[in-house]
Amino acid sequence: MADVGSDSAQEGGSEASTPSSSKRVTSLLSVMEISVTEPERRTGVTAINMKETYTVYLVETRITDMKSELLPETFTDETFSLWRRYSEFELLRNYLCVTYPAVVIPPLPEKKIHMMWQKLSGGEDKFDPDFIERRRAGLESFLLRVAAHGQLSQDKIFHCFLHLGENWKETVLATGYQNKKIYLILRTAQMDSRLKTLNAQFRLKNPDRRFQDLKNYSSELEANIANLLKIRERLAERLYGIHKIHANYGRVFSEWSGIEKEMGDGLQSAGHFMDVYAASIDSMLEEEDTYADALKEYLYFADALRSICRKQELLQYEVEKLEDKLVYLKAQKEQMEQGGDVKSGFSLKGMTTKLFGADTPETRDKKIKLLEEQTQQTEEQLQAAKWELSTYIDRSLQDVERFKRQKVRDLREIFINYSIMQIKLCKKGISLWNNTKECFTKM
Amino acid sequence: MADGTDSGFSEGQSSGPGGSSGPISPDLDPLNITTSTVDLEESLDMGAEGDPKSTGDDITTLTQSSLAGLRLDDALASDVHDLFVTVDDPEKHITNMESYITYRVTTKTTRSDYDSHEYVVRRRYQDFLWLRERLEATNPTHLIPPLPEKHSFRRLDRFSPEFLKTRQAALQKFLSRIVDHPTLSFNENLTIFLTAKAWELASHRKQAQGIMGKMGSSMRSMAAGYMLKNRSPEYATMQEYVNTFGAKMGTIDRINQRLLKEMTDYQQDLREFGPVFTLWSNSETELAPAMLGMASGVEKCEKALDQQISDQEHVFAPPVKEYILYAEAMKAVLKRRDSIQMEYELTVEDLSRKRNDREQLKMSDQSYSLGAFLGKDPEEVRQQKRTKLDSQIEELLKQVEVSNDSVECANADLKADLERWHRNKRRDVKEVFSELCDRNIQYYQECLSAWEETLQEINQKSELETASTLATPTSSCPDTPNLATPTSSITPPLPATPTKGGTEGGAAEGQGGTQ
């Protein structure tokens, strides 16, 4: 057990400090590819015998390096695939959250639309092809991120998700993850983030500064991204409008060309280019949507960060509660040993002494013995809780660092892609308006 | 005036305007017009700094449009090139009764019927209105260029610099079209307008009110064109063309207005977009430069869009509006031509009716006429009536000839004017729409360089980051938290006494915060 302790202390430092750890450079994703494709509609029957329609996705895995030692033993084929629906992804994620509480678990795409501005753009229908496609992309990203994570990618249940066609759900339930204490914490944390209330229960005496900061950071991240996405959506709508209005130019130029003699051809071609301009916005906005979705992923990541903080708070709360209890028990014992002297005002002891007479020496000894037992028990519990807390802190902070590095890379890539897209749009615009200008100058 | 010197002159001139580049040899430029235009440009440039009378920021637009006004038609023998006008320098006048704007109208000419080579007067919009009315009245068969509208409906501030700039350019165009016209440029009203002192002009304007009555006499010929019997189909075609053309121009104007509104809204949103990145950069460290780069890219695009919106409103829209008004002016002149033809046809009708009457008279019995009743001899009555009819028919024959001439003249004038108009229109359309394309190109180019810069900024920092992190091998293993412990669940240690102290110490360390 000292090993565990020293390991956790060591992991508090930089990652690749030991030569053996540098071997664990790659994750499962380096030896295989995962893709989520082909959404299909299925109909089935729910638990209460009601008919339901849902979408399933094909999860395809292709192994690129069959000889790698990272591969789980069950992966014997080079490619395999199976169908999964959204609720199964949810189950996998919940399981991972409970099993690896110190890890920032990648988020899933949303189940329902809960932001008003999304509803207005017609995304409410869960069978809307646009919605399904964006969900598909989000699910694929989720699996890729899990497979890229050193620890998560080794989980057997995850392997089964990719590989086991039947009874996967039962396998998950068989792990008994729902019975773990941390599961309750998880549910609380999930509900909290939904309701967005600060849980007043957990008033800590010495809140950990690092997690306070992390909590603040995650709120800021969430607010900033939400804001950005909202404005971007508005911008997209306006830009769409502007481009489509140019189609009217196309029409009027065409009509005008009919009454002109020498100008007719020039006007006709100019009209054609206006139509092209109007149509060009569609593909660009589709592309922009993918970057917006990538940003949205980090919106949900903020949530995951917050739940990490909450778990730490809960664990620390446990420790502080036990410490308080220990202090109380010790005080009780001292009081007993000093012969139940009722100095401080009102006390139950004082009352019972007055009413029923003082304890006999035997009863008092018994009580002291009981207190000593309780104290010992509490001390053991306290040790366990403290150990749990410190391990959790070390692991979670480490994973948070990993997350932060990943975030920097991901966000930078999003910005780069967005800029490249803008550049492309500008180049297209320049060429198109040059062509249009030629129509007029050649008139 | 249409002789060799003119065409030589025009050749020299056509290479000049459109840019003040290139020296024009003095021979081809006796009036020194091109250089004086250049001087005008320069004086405007210098005037731009802190000169209260300066016409605003966008000097290029001003001079371009003034040059466009000066620009000559494709060489046509009948075109005149010895009279040049410029309109500039709007000034506000405040009296007890009202406040209004006057513009400086500068005329340069070599014509002998002008006393001087150069005139400078100040005119207000009402004066331009007067001129147009007079031209229409004295040249009903000609197409008179339109004036910009009296009121601007969108902007209630008629003294705003943009409005004044736009109006000034439109007035300039109006005068340029008139002085380029072979007939209109010699109109005495124009001369008065260009040369008269303020009080002289005022007295002429009062006179005009008396002449207005003359219009009433031709009221009966203001019938609709479709009542004409002999209108040749080409006029119907012209009418159709004008109607469609006017409608299309109107549509283009409306599309432009819609675009402007959407673009303004888009600009609003852009103004909010940039600051979000800046705000976000406050909570990030490594990404802050990239985010600030994004913010600056957005800001630059917003500025470019601002310019684009302004240009579309103040440079593209006015010529389109002018051509809408031109279509109206064309409808008016077509109507007038129709009425002249109507006059002719009615006269012909009158003539044939009178001839008929004369025929009837030969066979009629005058015994029951009014004259006979009064005691005259019926044969005498017949003779009297016959004489009267004869003289009437004589008169009508003359009128028919005159009227026929009018029709022919009107047709010829109209044809010439329309030809000229089509030519100008083609040139204007080319110019105006090419410029619109240019503005869009400029907008996209500015955005392009903004985003290229942003991309550079984002990538630059990334290089710095990889450089710094190459020192520590941490980043080379992307996502592995590298937890050596394979435990997938948290299990508390067994409560064995010797380890208690060890873990306690370790746990306390952990709590203290080693990370």
Side-chain angles (χ1 to χ4, degrees), chain A residues 118-140:
Chain A
Q118 289 172 310
K119 275 189 182 140
L120 290 173
S121 57
E124 199 171 323
D125 176 22
K126 67 170 175 165
F127 290 114
D128 173 43
D130 203 40
F131 175 68
I132 287 185
E133 164 54 31
R134 291 163 85 162
R135 224 197 209 190
R136 180 210 66 76
L139 293 174
E140 187 174 277

Side-chain angles (χ1 to χ4, degrees), chain B residues 232-243:
Chain B
S232 83
E234 67 180 291
Y235 295 108
T237 320
M238 270 184 218
Q239 185 75 50
E240 241 181 77
Y241 174 85
V242 169
N243 288 340

Side-chain angles (χ1 to χ4, degrees), chain A residues 15 217 255 260 277 406, chain B residues 241 248 284 425 444 479-480:
Chain A
E15 269 180 54
Y217 172 76
E255 289 167 1
E260 297 287 346
Y277 185 69
Q406 183 68 43
Chain B
Y241 174 85
K248 294 309 150 201
E284 299 287 340
K425 169 206 71 179
Y444 276 115
D479 289 315
T480 52

Side-chain angles (χ1 to χ4, degrees), chain A residues 12 15 21 99 148 217 220 234 248 255-256 260 277 387 389 398 402 406-407 416 434 437 440, chain B residues 241 248-249 258 265 269 272 283-284 425 430 438 441 444 459 479-480 482-483 488 491 511 515:
Chain A
E15 269 180 54
S21 56
T99 319
Y217 172 76
E220 276 176 27
R234 280 212 306 261
N248 293 344
E255 289 167 1
W256 184 7
E260 297 287 346
Y277 185 69
W387 184 92
L389 178 65
Q398 202 167 38
R402 174 208 61 82
Q406 183 68 43
K407 173 204 74 178
I416 289 175
N434 264 321
K437 182 179 170 186
F440 286 110
Chain B
Y241 174 85
K248 294 309 150 201
M249 284 294 117
R258 263 184 78 190
D265 288 341
D269 289 332
E272 291 178 31
S283 37
E284 299 287 340
K425 169 206 71 179
K430 255 169 101 156
D438 274 337
I441 292 169
Y444 276 115
N459 278 322
D479 289 315
T480 52
N482 200 9
L483 300 171
S488 58
T491 46
Q511 233 177 346
Q515 180 70 5

